[in-house]
């Protein structure tokens, strides 16, 4: 993995600490005599996220981004490795043991329509993470209703939205409801799994600005997963680039985008479309092929500088 300078205090405590994370899945068998093949979703992933940091994870579909996020949230278990959230070890814990984690860390999913119960009113959806607190006597019903009203205002929805159902809202509004639900228990860490990829461009900008404002206002630590590099560049301070279950490069967002070190990162950034490239008729495949030719020419050039150091 290529690690660019990040100017972080090595003695500072991480909000999220991941070390040597591995996740393997076994596919169903197709033969009576042979076990199903093993899929290596994550291969030795390691990184740190500082408190209050906006950390992006980018990569193509199937590189392991969503698997990594599910493990961070405690909804999937790693094959091996360590995941610590505020010093709390997540890997290998039972659901009962993960209960303290649910208040400190919340997840916003990609498709709000499938993640919101269509039979529940918005007020009940947002209050759902507060049920455990109410059952333990830490929160009254009146306080719960007040919290729902506060969250609706915070995400820019009217008060009467509380009595309606998810199907009565647009995609952007449903994602606002998902964000409100995630913020209900006052978490320190927010995980977002491609929360704007299913939205229109204009709505996408509104939701991104909302996430940015809420993260800054509430001083949250954000881990934002996306395959859209422009979104991560707009939102995140540091970025990790994933390929085939590995983190191949990490660093400050501007450093990684302006001076990518790993060949995969170079190809990924070169494939980002721009107005000039679109007017010239270039497709994403054309951009990637051109970058590959350029890298091959650099490596084949006589007297070429020493190769960049990467570790797997």
């Amino acid at each position: 993995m290529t690690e660019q300078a990040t100017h972080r205090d090595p003695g500072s405590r991480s909000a999220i600490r991941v070390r040597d994370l591995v996740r393997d899945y076994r596919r169903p068998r197709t033969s009576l005599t042979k076990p199903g093949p093993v899929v290596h979703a994550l291969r030795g992933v390691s990184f740190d996220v500082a408190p209050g940091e906006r950390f992006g994870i980018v990569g193509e579909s199937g590189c392991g981004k969503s698997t990594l996020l599910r493990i961070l949230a405690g909804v999937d278990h790693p094959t091996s490795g360590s995941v610590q959230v505020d010093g709390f070890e997540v890997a290998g814990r039972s659901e009962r043991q993960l209960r303290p984690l649910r208040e400190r860390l919340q997840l916003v999913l990609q498709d709000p329509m499938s993640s919101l119960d269509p039979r529940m009113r918005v007020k009940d959806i947002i209050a759902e993470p507060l049920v455990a607190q109410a059952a333990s006597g830490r929160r009254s019903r009146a306080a719960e209703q007040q919290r729902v009203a506060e969250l609706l205002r915070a995400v820019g929805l009217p008060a009467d939205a509380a009595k309606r159902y998810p199907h009565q809202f647009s995609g952007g509004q449903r994602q606002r409801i998902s964000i409100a639900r995630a913020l209900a228990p006052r978490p320190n860490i927010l995980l977002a799994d491609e929360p704007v990829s299913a939205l229109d461009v204009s709505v996408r900008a509104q939701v991104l600005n909302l996430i940015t404002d809420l993260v800054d206002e509430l001083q949250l630590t954000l881990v934002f997963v996306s395959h859209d590099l422009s979104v991560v560049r707009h939102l995140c301070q540091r970025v990790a680039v994933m390929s085939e279950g590995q983190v191949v490069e990490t660093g400050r967002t501007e450093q990684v985008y302006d001076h990518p070190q790993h060949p995969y990162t170079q190809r990924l950034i070169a494939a980002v479309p721009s107005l000039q490239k679109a007017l010239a008729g270039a497709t994403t495949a054309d951009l990637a092929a051109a970058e590959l030719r350029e890298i091959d020419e650099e490596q084949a050039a006589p007297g070429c500088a020493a190769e960049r150091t990467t570790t797997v």
Side-chain angles (χ1 to χ4, degrees), residues 159-171:
D160 62 358
K163 300 179 180 179
R164 293 156 64 186
Y165 292 92
H167 72 271
Q168 297 176 290
F169 296 89
S170 67

Side-chain angles (χ1 to χ4, degrees), residues 131-164:
V131 171
Q133 296 179 355
S136 62
R138 288 180 291 161
R139 185 181 294 271
S140 66
R141 182 65 178 173
E144 181 180 297
Q145 294 175 349
Q146 181 180 356
R147 179 63 177 156
V148 170
E150 291 174 358
L151 289 166
L152 286 174
R153 287 195 299 271
V155 299
L157 291 175
D160 62 358
K163 300 179 180 179
R164 293 156 64 186

